[in-house]
Amino acid sequence: MISRLKHWALGAIIACTPATALATGGLGCSIDDGNVNLTFESIFSYSDIGGLFQIRGELESKDKRTYKTLQKFALDGSELKQQWFRGNDLKLMIYRETEGDGVPFASVKLIIEATRPPEEEFEYAGKYTLTVEPAVEGSESQAFTVEGKIACSAG
């Protein structure tokens, strides 16, 4: 689960936001297993149209087949391609692909699906799926997928 320190840090972020953002909360998610390391933090609006903002964190794929520039990178919000955070459901898609001339195509896509059990007020639990399209020059690349558990906290 998300440590109390991270929950406190999210509260501190919220406390430092402008007074116009009173209807906001903090969301934090983490993965730390043999396949993936993820830290994900954001602020969200309690309104139905607010979404997630001020996103930061880091995603690391531990598989050596992941293209070198995609193995570990900071999250700044541009990678969050889809989001659904409403009621008891949390669904996120983080996606990044290689960029630049002469660089082979490769990508990473992390899908997070978590729910909040009825007895919990702030904790979400679920699964993640990381799909990696490795760069293989001169032939077809073979995408692979890894899965695991994720824990998130919102409040």
Side-chain angles (χ1 to χ4, degrees), residues 4 8 11 39 44 47 50 56 58 70-71 74 77 89 92 103 111 124 145:
R4 295 255 185 244
W8 178 86
T39 57
F44 66 90
S47 74
R56 65 181 180 180
E58 186 173 81
L70 300 175
Q71 284 180 350
D89 295 322
L92 306 173
V103 177
I111 305 274
Y124 289 74
T145 301

Side-chain angles (χ1 to χ4, degrees), residues 5-62:
L5 180 60
K6 283 187 178 180
H7 196 51
W8 178 86
L10 287 171
I13 291 169
I14 293 166
C16 293
T17 58
T20 57
L22 290 177
T24 62
L27 172 67
C29 296
S30 65
I31 303 168
D32 188 7
D33 63 19
N35 298 311
V36 175
N37 275 339
L38 171 75
T39 57
F40 179 92
E41 297 175 349
S42 72
I43 295 176
F44 66 90
S45 170
Y46 280 102
S47 74
D48 287 340
I49 58 171
L52 302 175
F53 55 98
Q54 293 185 6
I55 294 165
R56 65 181 180 180
E58 186 173 81
L59 174 62
E60 176 184 11
S61 170
K62 296 179 181 179

Side-chain angles (χ1 to χ4, degrees), residues 52-122:
L52 302 175
F53 55 98
Q54 293 185 6
I55 294 165
R56 65 181 180 180
E58 186 173 81
L59 174 62
E60 176 184 11
S61 170
K62 296 179 181 179
D63 193 294
K64 299 301 178 204
R65 295 174 289 176
T66 306
Y67 193 72
K68 60 186 174 192
T69 60
L70 300 175
Q71 284 180 350
K72 186 175 185 180
F73 56 89
L75 302 173
D76 64 11
S78 64
E79 302 84 8
L80 185 64
K81 303 302 182 184
Q82 294 183 14
Q83 59 180 300
W84 177 260
F85 184 38
R86 183 178 172 114
N88 296 334
D89 295 322
L90 170 63
K91 297 177 191 255
L92 306 173
M93 182 176 79
I94 297 169
Y95 176 84
R96 181 180 268 186
E97 60 187 43
T98 52
E99 297 176 346
D101 293 335
V103 177
F105 175 80
S107 67
V108 292
K109 177 172 64 175
L110 179 69
I111 305 274
I112 295 169
E113 296 180 278
T115 57
R116 184 183 65 190
E119 67 276 5
E120 291 289 338
E121 190 172 350
F122 301 110

